[in-house]
Amino acid sequence: MSRAGMKSGGPPPILPLCLNGTMPKVPPPALDADGSDLIHVAFYDTRRKPNEKGMLKAAALFNSSRVRFHALLSYPQAIRGMRVHSLHLPPRARCIHRNLVRLSHGPGPQYLYKPLLHWVLPQDVERLIVLDTDVVMIRGIEELWAEFDHFGGAMLGVAKEQSNLYRCVSWVQTGGMWAGHCHAWRPSVTHRSLPAHRRGAIGANGGVQLLHLGRMRSSVRYAVGLDHYAAGLDGRWIGYLGDQTLYSFMGSSHPDLFYQLVRAWTSLRPL
């Protein structure tokens, strides 16, 4: 779908659902599976020439022998000291990804594998920290890993977006469906007539993510939710922020699946 369709203000076209009651196949455990006491940290790069130098520089800052590094790549290549995984999805998950991508534009599509990583990583990786290569940890990785112990029944941990990108969501009703557009906050905007779960977004930041892959794999509700949004049944475009906006929308409709990281864990790496 073209960006012009998003700019028109109308809702996205509705596509057939991908799952139809059948869950995508989960990758089997890796033959070189590591122990269960390890901290799994992944770097994500969809570029044709992955930023290997950035990954190695970020990995060098960790001083724990418990950490096992993963590289999640669209164009796989050997990365020293890391288990490399191709961003390849089973057919039904690939359908969801394709439908999500057409709701996004600009850099957004490259991030839309992140909500589907439970269908990429092998089963022996139950929990995963996903970091962007342009951030630096300002606290110990063990402390961040311990946040999983506070998840309760949640399966995705994300921080709140600190900018004003999600401070307000204005809405227009088009053809009986709600089409949402994120803008900077304006006092004149009101959307009180919307159902409670449609009045806004939690404003997720995708720079650091804690993914409980085991729960994500077994959760029919999460899979169906992804399929629902991807098919356009929610009536909203995802736009150029990709996974961040999808998490923000799902955080409103499926709040029990999300855990908010309330402490500052990273800072941007100087260029």
Side-chain angles (χ1 to χ4, degrees):
M1 180 58 59
S2 68
R3 186 174 180 178
M6 302 182 198
K7 287 186 173 181
S8 69
I14 296 176
L15 299 181
L17 293 169
C18 296
L19 297 182
N20 294 317
T22 303
M23 293 283 280
K25 292 183 178 180
V26 176
L31 296 178
D32 57 346
D34 297 312
S36 60
D37 190 44
L38 297 176
I39 296 172
H40 293 277
V41 176
F43 299 105
Y44 176 97
D45 199 324
T46 61
R47 290 169 291 190
R48 187 172 294 275
K49 293 184 177 180
N51 183 12
E52 179 179 1
K53 182 178 179 181
M55 294 182 197
L56 294 175
K57 187 174 182 180
L61 298 175
F62 297 96
N63 57 7
S64 173
S65 60
R66 291 181 58 201
V67 177
R68 288 296 179 270
F69 295 106
H70 303 259
L72 308 172
L73 308 177
S74 290
Y75 300 91
Q77 65 177 51
I79 305 289
R80 176 167 46 88
M82 299 190 185
R83 289 173 63 181
V84 175
H85 308 272
S86 173
L87 290 171
H88 177 76
L89 294 165
R92 292 184 186 275
R94 197 180 312 138
C95 173
I96 292 176
H97 178 260
R98 182 172 59 249
N99 288 352
L100 288 171
V101 164
R102 56 102 193 192
L103 300 176
S104 189
H105 65 83
Q110 66 182 301
Y111 303 116
L112 286 170
Y113 279 106
K114 287 186 178 181
L116 311 175
L117 289 178
H118 54 301
W119 291 319
V120 172
L121 276 291
Q123 291 183 42
D124 56 284
V125 183
E126 282 281 313
R127 297 179 292 177
L128 184 71
I129 296 173
V130 182
L131 298 176
D132 287 344
T133 56
D134 62 347
V135 298
V136 177
M137 295 294 299
I138 59 176
R139 290 189 172 89
I141 194 67
E142 291 89 352
E143 291 183 65
L144 180 57
W145 187 256
E147 291 286 323
F148 278 113
D149 297 334
H150 306 293
F151 266 35
M155 53 193 68
L156 300 97
V158 291
K160 184 179 180 181
E161 173 61 47
Q162 297 302 309
S163 74
N164 65 1
L165 285 169
Y166 298 105
R167 286 179 63 188
C168 178
V169 178
S170 67
W171 302 91
V172 293
Q173 191 173 23
T174 306
M177 294 193 65
W178 293 102
H181 306 275
C182 292
H183 301 285
W185 182 81
R186 297 199 308 271
S188 61
V189 173
T190 178
H191 45 277
R192 294 180 180 176
S193 60
L194 286 173
H197 75 283
R198 300 293 302 281
R199 291 179 185 168
I202 61 171
N205 182 289
V208 54
Q209 300 183 19
L210 272 63
L211 305 181
H212 198 303
L213 300 177
R215 292 179 183 173
M216 293 165 71
R217 293 180 186 118
S218 62
S219 175
V220 174
R221 186 161 173 260
Y222 179 63
V224 169
L226 288 172
D227 200 12
H228 176 90
Y229 278 92
L233 292 171
D234 184 67
R236 289 184 276 188
W237 300 94
I238 293 175
Y240 72 95
L241 293 177
D243 61 324
Q244 288 194 185
T245 301
L246 177 62
Y247 289 153
S248 298
F249 290 164
M250 292 192 73
S252 296
S253 60
H254 298 68
D256 54 304
L257 303 185
F258 289 83
Y259 173 81
Q260 183 174 319
L261 301 172
V262 296
R263 302 177 68 187
W265 291 98
T266 62
S267 64
L268 287 177
R269 182 188 305 279
L271 296 177

